[in-house]
Amino acid sequence: MRYSKWFLTITALFVTTLIVSNIVAVKLVGVRGLVLPAAVIVFPLSYILGDVLTEVYGYARAREVIWLGFLCNLVAVVAIVVAGALPAASFWADQAAYDKVLGYAPRLLVASFAAYLVGEFANAYVLARMKVATRGRHLWARTIGSTLVGQGLDSLVFITLAFAGTIPGAGLASAIVTQWLAKTAYETLATPATYAVTNWLKVIEGSDPFDERTDFRPLALD
């Protein structure tokens, strides 16, 4: 199947947001009393781009990109881990800094990858189903609704797997809700841009699919 330059551009941006998010997430930022990973500035873009992919190209194409993003993220993580394990030059004194900033704890990796797959597939599924149910109307409701589900599951899975047993239950619940609301607010504010890009791409690509007979299994081959 031939992919257009616009599809490839959206795919490249999607994958980039994932890899960059993994790298910058190590920094915690404080915003008016809220503590959030720095990835919050870029990770929600993956959901916006995921919405565009599903809306313009359909669930099956979005599924391909989700798995591609997972693979590319895995390659980046493996490269960073292997680079960290290689012996440092005798004059290079920054190994500790490298390990502190780029080192990955196995538990956090498992939590991150699981949350990504659950959240992204849920987002694409809900958007595609809502598009059929609304006959293509109310894009704002579909993008925000799918984000509420996808980002909610992403936050729930990641924070639970990563921190359960290490912080109190109330703190765990607070962290989940805080990340969920912050990411959803990001999507809501970006709705006008999502509308503009989606509608423009539909015209340029001549594509506006409805997933009425799509096999929604994550591992299905179309």
Side-chain angles (χ1 to χ4, degrees):
M1 178 179 181
R2 183 177 179 276
Y3 296 106
S4 74
K5 64 179 180 180
W6 300 114
F7 177 83
L8 294 177
T9 298
I10 298 296
T11 298
L13 290 172
F14 179 89
V15 172
T16 300
T17 61
L18 295 179
I19 295 175
V20 171
S21 294
N22 243 19
I23 295 172
V24 304
V26 66
K27 179 176 181 178
L28 297 178
V29 298
V31 181
R32 295 188 177 183
L34 299 178
V35 178
L36 297 166
V40 74
I41 65 174
V42 66
F43 182 70
L45 284 174
S46 70
Y47 278 78
I48 296 171
L49 293 167
D51 288 345
V52 173
L53 285 166
T54 304
E55 179 71 19
V56 178
Y57 302 101
Y59 178 88
R61 299 289 78 79
R63 175 172 53 208
E64 292 178 356
V65 176
I66 291 171
W67 281 116
L68 177 63
F70 179 86
L71 176 62
C72 291
N73 211 8
L74 180 61
V75 170
V77 167
V78 170
I80 290 171
V81 170
V82 171
L86 292 173
S90 59
F91 57 84
W92 194 65
D94 297 317
Q95 182 65 42
Y98 180 98
D99 292 338
K100 186 173 183 178
V101 174
L102 294 177
Y104 293 104
R107 181 176 179 179
L108 293 181
L109 277 180
V110 171
S112 176
F113 283 133
Y116 162 73
L117 289 176
V118 171
E120 289 289 355
F121 276 117
N123 182 71
Y125 176 84
V126 172
L127 184 68
R129 287 296 199 187
M130 287 184 69
K131 183 175 183 179
V132 173
T134 62
R135 302 310 306 162
R137 299 186 299 273
H138 312 307
L139 177 60
W140 64 270
R142 301 202 302 278
T143 59
I144 295 175
S146 62
T147 296
L148 280 169
V149 176
Q151 293 282 19
L153 289 173
D154 181 282
S155 299
L156 175 65
V157 171
F158 176 74
I159 293 176
T160 301
L161 291 181
F163 303 112
T166 62
I167 61 176
L172 203 69
S174 177
I176 292 170
V177 172
T178 298
Q179 285 209 37
W180 179 36
L181 293 180
K183 293 173 182 177
T184 301
Y186 193 121
E187 168 83 38
T188 302
L189 292 173
T191 296
T194 304
Y195 258 88
V197 172
T198 298
N199 290 334
W200 178 75
L201 278 175
K202 284 181 179 179
V203 173
I204 294 297
E205 298 284 50
S207 175
D208 189 13
F210 285 78
D211 290 292
E212 295 176 303
R213 297 183 179 180
T214 300
D215 185 340
F216 286 97
R217 292 175 299 171
L219 293 174
L221 299 175
D222 291 298

